[in-house]
Amino acid sequence: QVLSVSAELLEAAPTTAIAPATPAEALTATLWLRSVPSVILERLARQAVLHRVPSGSILFEQSETPAFAQLLVAGCVELLAVDGANEALIETVHPIDLLLPAAVLNRQPYLTRARVLEEAQLVLIHADTFRDTVAADQALCLAVLACQAAQFRRQVKLAKNLKLRSAEQRVGCYLMSLLQGEDLRAPIRLPFEKRRIAWQLGMT
Protein backbone atom coordinates (compact mmCIF):
# COMPACT_ATOMS: atom_id res chain seq x y z
CA GLN A 1 0.00 0.00 0.00
CA VAL A 2 2.84 2.41 0.84
CA LEU A 3 4.47 1.58 -2.50
CA SER A 4 1.21 2.28 -4.37
CA VAL A 5 0.66 5.62 -2.63
CA SER A 6 4.26 6.71 -3.23
CA ALA A 7 4.02 5.81 -6.93
CA GLU A 8 0.83 7.86 -7.28
CA LEU A 9 2.52 10.85 -5.65
CA LEU A 10 5.45 10.53 -8.05
CA GLU A 11 3.27 10.37 -11.15
CA ALA A 12 1.19 13.32 -9.95
CA ALA A 13 4.08 15.39 -8.58
CA PRO A 14 4.07 19.08 -9.58
CA THR A 15 6.95 20.37 -11.67
CA THR A 16 7.24 23.75 -9.99
CA ALA A 17 10.39 24.59 -8.08
CA ILE A 18 10.23 24.43 -4.29
CA ALA A 19 13.37 26.57 -3.74
CA PRO A 20 14.61 24.82 -0.56
CA ALA A 21 17.29 26.46 1.56
CA THR A 22 18.94 23.27 2.88
CA PRO A 23 19.16 19.57 1.94
CA ALA A 24 16.98 18.73 4.96
CA GLU A 25 14.31 21.16 3.83
CA ALA A 26 14.34 19.71 0.32
CA LEU A 27 14.01 16.13 1.54
CA THR A 28 11.24 17.03 3.99
CA ALA A 29 9.30 18.83 1.24
CA THR A 30 9.40 15.79 -1.06
CA LEU A 31 5.89 14.31 -0.92
CA TRP A 32 6.86 10.77 -1.86
CA LEU A 33 9.32 10.69 1.07
CA ARG A 34 6.68 11.70 3.61
CA SER A 35 6.41 8.17 5.06
CA VAL A 36 10.17 8.09 5.78
CA PRO A 37 11.01 8.86 9.45
CA SER A 38 12.48 12.31 10.02
CA VAL A 39 15.56 10.81 11.66
CA ILE A 40 16.32 8.96 8.41
CA LEU A 41 15.90 12.09 6.31
CA GLU A 42 18.17 13.95 8.72
CA ARG A 43 20.80 11.23 8.32
CA LEU A 44 20.69 11.63 4.56
CA ALA A 45 20.77 15.42 4.82
CA ARG A 46 23.94 15.34 6.94
CA GLN A 47 25.74 13.62 4.05
CA ALA A 48 24.25 15.82 1.34
CA VAL A 49 24.71 19.21 -0.28
CA LEU A 50 22.27 21.48 -2.09
CA HIS A 51 23.65 22.28 -5.52
CA ARG A 52 22.41 24.83 -8.07
CA VAL A 53 23.46 24.14 -11.66
CA PRO A 54 23.10 26.45 -14.70
CA SER A 55 21.46 25.44 -17.97
CA GLY A 56 23.73 23.46 -20.29
CA SER A 57 25.80 21.89 -17.50
CA ILE A 58 26.62 18.18 -17.60
CA LEU A 59 25.68 16.44 -14.33
CA PHE A 60 27.25 13.13 -15.28
CA GLU A 61 28.46 11.30 -18.35
CA GLN A 62 27.35 8.00 -19.81
CA SER A 63 29.48 5.14 -18.39
CA GLU A 64 30.46 7.24 -15.34
CA THR A 65 30.15 5.47 -11.98
CA PRO A 66 27.86 7.40 -9.57
CA ALA A 67 29.48 9.18 -6.65
CA PHE A 68 26.18 10.70 -5.48
CA ALA A 69 22.49 10.00 -5.52
CA GLN A 70 21.00 13.07 -7.22
CA LEU A 71 17.52 14.31 -6.30
CA LEU A 72 16.18 16.92 -8.71
CA VAL A 73 14.11 19.45 -6.74
CA ALA A 74 13.87 22.30 -9.26
CA GLY A 75 14.53 22.85 -12.95
CA CYS A 76 14.69 20.28 -15.73
CA VAL A 77 17.26 17.68 -16.81
CA GLU A 78 17.47 15.69 -20.04
CA LEU A 79 18.86 12.15 -20.15
CA LEU A 80 20.73 11.45 -23.38
CA ALA A 81 22.06 8.27 -24.96
CA VAL A 82 25.46 9.01 -26.49
CA ASP A 83 27.32 7.41 -29.40
CA GLY A 84 30.37 9.45 -30.28
CA ALA A 85 29.13 12.88 -31.38
CA ASN A 86 25.53 11.67 -31.68
CA GLU A 87 22.93 12.11 -28.94
CA ALA A 88 19.41 10.72 -28.55
CA LEU A 89 16.93 11.95 -25.97
CA ILE A 90 15.78 9.20 -23.62
CA GLU A 91 13.73 11.24 -21.16
CA THR A 92 13.21 14.73 -19.80
CA VAL A 93 13.20 14.62 -15.99
CA HIS A 94 11.16 17.05 -13.91
CA PRO A 95 11.13 17.56 -10.14
CA ILE A 96 10.87 15.97 -7.80
CA ASP A 97 12.70 12.86 -8.95
CA LEU A 98 15.88 10.84 -8.54
CA LEU A 99 18.24 10.70 -11.50
CA LEU A 100 18.86 7.05 -12.48
CA PRO A 101 18.79 5.63 -8.94
CA ALA A 102 19.32 2.05 -10.20
CA ALA A 103 22.89 2.92 -11.18
CA VAL A 104 23.56 4.32 -7.71
CA LEU A 105 22.04 1.38 -5.85
CA ASN A 106 23.79 -1.24 -7.97
CA ARG A 107 27.16 0.55 -8.22
CA GLN A 108 26.84 0.39 -12.01
CA PRO A 109 27.80 2.96 -14.67
CA TYR A 110 25.18 5.41 -15.84
CA LEU A 111 23.53 4.38 -19.12
CA THR A 112 22.98 7.98 -20.22
CA ARG A 113 24.42 11.47 -20.01
CA ALA A 114 22.52 13.99 -17.87
CA ARG A 115 22.43 17.60 -19.07
CA VAL A 116 20.63 20.50 -17.43
CA LEU A 117 17.93 21.88 -19.72
CA GLU A 118 16.63 24.54 -17.34
CA GLU A 119 18.62 25.86 -14.36
CA ALA A 120 18.39 23.08 -11.80
CA GLN A 121 18.68 22.61 -8.07
CA LEU A 122 19.67 19.20 -6.77
CA VAL A 123 20.31 17.44 -3.50
CA LEU A 124 23.52 15.43 -3.85
CA ILE A 125 23.71 12.57 -1.33
CA HIS A 126 26.90 10.54 -0.99
CA ALA A 127 26.28 7.25 -2.78
CA ASP A 128 27.54 5.04 0.07
CA THR A 129 25.31 6.81 2.59
CA PHE A 130 22.33 6.53 0.24
CA ARG A 131 22.85 2.80 -0.32
CA ASP A 132 23.41 2.04 3.37
CA THR A 133 20.35 4.03 4.45
CA VAL A 134 18.10 2.44 1.82
CA ALA A 135 19.25 -0.99 3.00
CA ALA A 136 18.65 -0.12 6.67
CA ASP A 137 15.23 1.57 6.53
CA GLN A 138 12.14 -0.10 5.10
CA ALA A 139 10.18 3.10 4.53
CA LEU A 140 13.00 4.68 2.53
CA CYS A 141 13.50 1.44 0.62
CA LEU A 142 9.81 1.40 -0.36
CA ALA A 143 9.90 5.08 -1.36
CA VAL A 144 12.93 4.56 -3.62
CA LEU A 145 11.34 1.41 -5.05
CA ALA A 146 8.21 3.44 -5.84
CA CYS A 147 10.39 6.05 -7.52
CA GLN A 148 11.95 3.41 -9.74
CA ALA A 149 8.55 1.88 -10.46
CA ALA A 150 7.20 5.25 -11.61
CA GLN A 151 10.24 5.73 -13.85
CA PHE A 152 9.73 2.25 -15.34
CA ARG A 153 6.06 3.00 -16.04
CA ARG A 154 7.04 6.21 -17.85
CA GLN A 155 9.44 4.31 -20.06
CA VAL A 156 6.84 1.63 -20.86
CA LYS A 157 4.29 4.34 -21.76
CA LEU A 158 6.90 6.00 -23.98
CA ALA A 159 7.70 2.70 -25.70
CA LYS A 160 3.99 2.02 -26.29
CA ASN A 161 3.54 5.52 -27.68
CA LEU A 162 6.43 5.08 -30.13
CA LYS A 163 5.44 1.56 -31.25
CA LEU A 164 1.64 1.77 -31.40
CA ARG A 165 0.87 5.33 -32.55
CA SER A 166 1.49 7.12 -35.81
CA ALA A 167 3.49 10.35 -35.89
CA GLU A 168 0.24 12.36 -36.13
CA GLN A 169 -1.24 10.53 -33.14
CA ARG A 170 1.91 11.09 -31.09
CA VAL A 171 1.81 14.82 -31.77
CA GLY A 172 -1.91 14.98 -30.93
CA CYS A 173 -1.46 13.05 -27.65
CA TYR A 174 1.49 15.25 -26.70
CA LEU A 175 -0.53 18.45 -27.27
CA MET A 176 -3.46 17.01 -25.29
CA SER A 177 -1.11 16.22 -22.40
CA LEU A 178 -0.17 19.91 -22.19
CA LEU A 179 -3.77 20.90 -21.43
CA GLN A 180 -3.79 19.15 -18.02
CA GLY A 181 -7.51 19.70 -17.54
CA GLU A 182 -7.45 23.36 -18.55
CA ASP A 183 -9.93 25.06 -20.85
CA LEU A 184 -9.81 23.20 -24.17
CA ARG A 185 -10.08 26.53 -25.99
CA ALA A 186 -7.07 28.02 -24.22
CA PRO A 187 -3.85 28.50 -26.24
CA ILE A 188 -1.12 25.93 -25.64
CA ARG A 189 2.44 27.11 -24.99
CA LEU A 190 5.06 24.58 -26.02
CA PRO A 191 7.47 23.95 -23.11
CA PHE A 192 10.47 23.34 -25.39
CA GLU A 193 11.59 24.17 -28.91
CA LYS A 194 9.99 22.00 -31.61
CA ARG A 195 13.22 20.13 -32.33
CA ARG A 196 13.38 18.83 -28.76
CA ILE A 197 9.73 17.83 -28.79
CA ALA A 198 10.20 15.94 -32.04
CA TRP A 199 13.25 14.26 -30.51
CA GLN A 200 11.13 13.17 -27.55
CA LEU A 201 8.38 11.84 -29.83
CA GLY A 202 10.77 9.84 -32.02
CA MET A 203 10.50 11.91 -35.20
CA THR A 204 12.23 14.73 -37.07
Side-chain angles (χ1 to χ4, degrees):
Q1 183 179 3
V2 172
L3 179 59
S4 175
V5 171
S6 296
E8 290 175 2
L9 287 171
L10 272 158
E11 292 193 358
T15 58
T16 53
I18 60 175
T22 65
E25 185 178 318
L27 293 173
T28 302
T30 301
L31 291 180
W32 51 272
L33 290 176
R34 66 183 183 183
S35 62
V36 180
S38 58
V39 64
I40 298 298
L41 296 181
E42 290 169 4
R43 176 182 175 186
L44 291 174
R46 285 196 296 270
Q47 295 295 320
V49 294
L50 197 60
H51 191 42
R52 188 177 295 277
V53 189
S55 175
S57 300
I58 302 297
L59 296 177
F60 52 76
E61 288 286 0
Q62 182 173 286
S63 300
E64 181 181 327
T65 302
F68 298 93
Q70 302 193 32
L71 179 69
L72 178 67
V73 296
C76 184
V77 172
E78 52 187 3
L79 301 179
L80 305 158
V82 182
D83 182 14
N86 297 321
E87 294 180 335
L89 179 67
I90 301 300
E91 184 179 13
T92 302
V93 183
H94 301 277
I96 299 174
D97 205 356
L98 287 166
L99 301 182
L100 301 183
V104 182
L105 292 170
N106 293 325
R107 295 184 174 87
Q108 293 179 319
Y110 288 119
L111 294 179
T112 68
R113 168 184 294 163
R115 184 168 61 209
V116 177
L117 186 57
E118 298 174 358
E119 181 178 306
Q121 194 168 23
L122 303 106
V123 177
L124 306 182
I125 307 167
H126 283 285
D128 287 338
T129 299
F130 182 74
R131 285 189 289 265
D132 292 345
T133 310
V134 168
D137 184 77
Q138 183 185 35
L140 178 61
C141 181
L142 287 174
V144 173
L145 182 59
C147 177
Q148 292 183 284
Q151 293 175 356
F152 177 75
R153 283 177 58 83
R154 290 201 302 267
Q155 287 302 311
V156 170
K157 288 179 180 179
L158 177 60
K160 288 174 64 178
N161 191 43
L162 293 175
K163 293 179 181 296
L164 297 178
R165 290 180 173 140
S166 67
E168 292 83 359
Q169 289 173 326
R170 276 177 263 159
V171 172
C173 290
Y174 179 81
L175 294 176
M176 288 295 292
S177 72
L178 298 179
L179 290 173
Q180 297 180 342
E182 297 177 2
D183 183 355
L184 295 180
R185 296 168 297 180
I188 296 175
R189 181 177 297 277
L190 299 179
F192 309 114
E193 60 188 83
K194 293 178 183 178
R195 179 179 63 86
R196 291 186 182 277
I197 296 172
W199 213 5
Q200 183 175 340
L201 298 179
M203 60 186 72
T204 59

